Amino acid sequence: MPLGRKALKPKISHHPYEGLAVADVLGCNIHCVGMDEALAIAERFLSERTPRHIVTADASAVVIAQRDEEFRSILNTADLVVPDSNGVVWACRMLGYPVRERVAGVDLMDRLCRLAAERGFTAFFYGAAPGVAEAAARNLEAAYPGLRVVGTMHGYAPDSEESSIVARICALRPDMLFVALGIPRQEKWIHRNKQALGVPLAMGVGGSLDCFSGRVKRAPVWLRERGLEWAYRLAKDPRKFRKVAMLPNFALMVLLQSVSRRR
Ligand code: UDP
């Protein structure tokens, strides 16, 4: 049993949907959902047809939110914030919140594409290097017959093209929009354009398009189950060091938060 888990009685607020508990991790709202609940909420967003924003929060997102007020405010007003990493799941539990499981963004995107195929929803993939979104779309359409990715766009266009990208997505009227520009750029992009886009479900997906395109391999399941996906990603891509280097700081801040709560 981790330090003081039982002794903690956090003040739990509730998500407007399904009355789910909302965890406060270092001032960031994380919704205490598992995969099935996240999918049920996503289905509701798709039927309600108002623009909604899903954030997949990992430890780096929480650390970035400590110094980036705009990002923190976006995270705290998003329609759904899922616990994307084992680090965030650990932090929620450490602070006494009832988080059952990790909801990895890449897995949620995969399940949403399956749902889209089954229910006739369309999708748009925006972001990653040229060619990646198209390859991801081809692979997912092959995996889920019936899935229609109505458009793709790489993530390296100049900022001056933002309004024409938004207009293009708008014209295609997708039900789901997956944006892969990295944290916090993708969340800021979605937030800025959410109303203009009018897409019922928009979600930042980081490196997921790279995974679905086949260019980046996910860690083997046995490593994921042991919470070591970060080590695999670091070994494959040393540029991930900046992200991994945030983990000790994150853990320390969470420990301090849990200690200060028990005072
Ligand atoms: N990316 C992009 N445009 C940029 C910077 C990044 O499209 O200007 C893409 C990059 O190619 C990658 C994704 O954003 O596909 C970020 O992936 P990463 O795994 O770094 O995301 P994280 O989940 O760590 O934020």
Side-chain angles (χ1 to χ4, degrees):
M1 172 82 49
L3 176 73
R5 202 161 99 195
K6 258 197 173 150
L8 272 174
K9 280 209 180 68
K11 211 170 135 256
I12 297 183
S13 57
H14 291 273
H15 186 262
Y17 298 91
E18 319 285 354
L20 292 161
V22 178
D24 167 1
V25 177
L26 304 174
C28 298
N29 289 347
I30 310 288
H31 300 151
C32 301
V33 288
M35 179 59 85
D36 290 344
E37 290 146 329
L39 279 169
I41 292 171
E43 276 202 67
R44 191 181 293 195
F45 292 168
L46 289 160
S47 66
E48 288 175 349
R49 313 303 296 171
T50 40
R52 307 281 196 179
H53 183 183
I54 300 181
V55 173
T56 64
D58 64 7
S60 80
V62 174
V63 172
I64 291 168
Q66 304 306 298
R67 50 181 151 79
D68 185 334
E69 214 170 298
E70 180 195 353
F71 177 57
R72 187 167 67 242
S73 148
I74 292 170
L75 203 150
N76 285 340
T77 52
D79 300 289
L80 179 63
V81 184
V82 300
D84 174 56
S85 71
N86 288 304
V88 165
V89 170
W90 167 81
C92 289
R93 290 182 183 160
M94 194 71 198
L95 294 164
Y97 295 106
V99 169
R100 213 177 51 246
E101 61 184 357
R102 174 184 182 204
V103 182
V106 62
D107 293 329
L108 182 57
M109 179 175 168
D110 184 70
R111 295 287 299 269
L112 286 169
C113 287
R114 190 160 100 193
L115 178 77
E118 288 164 1
R119 302 272 302 277
F121 295 121
T122 60
F124 190 104
F125 295 175
Y126 169 43
V132 170
E134 288 91 325
R138 272 198 308 274
N139 290 342
L140 282 162
E141 283 175 339
Y144 300 120
L147 171 66
R148 273 202 316 130
V149 181
V150 289
T152 60
M153 171 73 202
H154 69 78
Y156 289 88
D159 290 348
S160 57
E161 284 183 25
E162 181 162 318
S163 53
S164 66
I165 294 170
V166 170
R168 195 179 144 217
I169 297 171
C170 256
L172 291 163
R173 302 174 60 82
D175 299 298
M176 303 180 189
L177 170 64
F178 298 103
V179 181
L181 300 173
I183 296 170
R185 210 177 138 207
Q186 60 201 19
E187 284 74 26
K188 291 181 179 178
W189 192 93
I190 292 172
H191 183 76
R192 215 168 33 243
N193 296 302
K194 180 175 158 179
Q195 295 307 329
L197 285 161
V199 177
L201 189 161
M203 177 169 125
V205 292
S208 301
L209 296 183
D210 296 301
C211 291
F212 291 121
S213 74
R215 292 194 183 189
V216 170
K217 289 239 172 321
R218 279 197 80 186
V221 174
W222 67 270
L223 272 180
R224 280 188 243 158
E225 282 173 355
R226 283 162 181 77
L228 291 171
E229 187 159 25
W230 61 269
Y232 181 88
R233 290 175 79 182
L234 178 62
K236 291 277 170 194
D237 180 1
R239 283 171 304 177
K240 291 274 171 210
F241 180 75
R242 271 188 64 202
K243 198 168 166 139
V244 171
M246 293 180 189
L247 288 172
N249 190 17
F250 172 75
L252 187 64
M253 286 191 292
V254 170
L255 286 170
L256 289 173
Q257 185 184 358
S258 93
V259 168
S260 75
R261 280 213 181 152
R262 287 185 300 124
R263 284 223 174 106

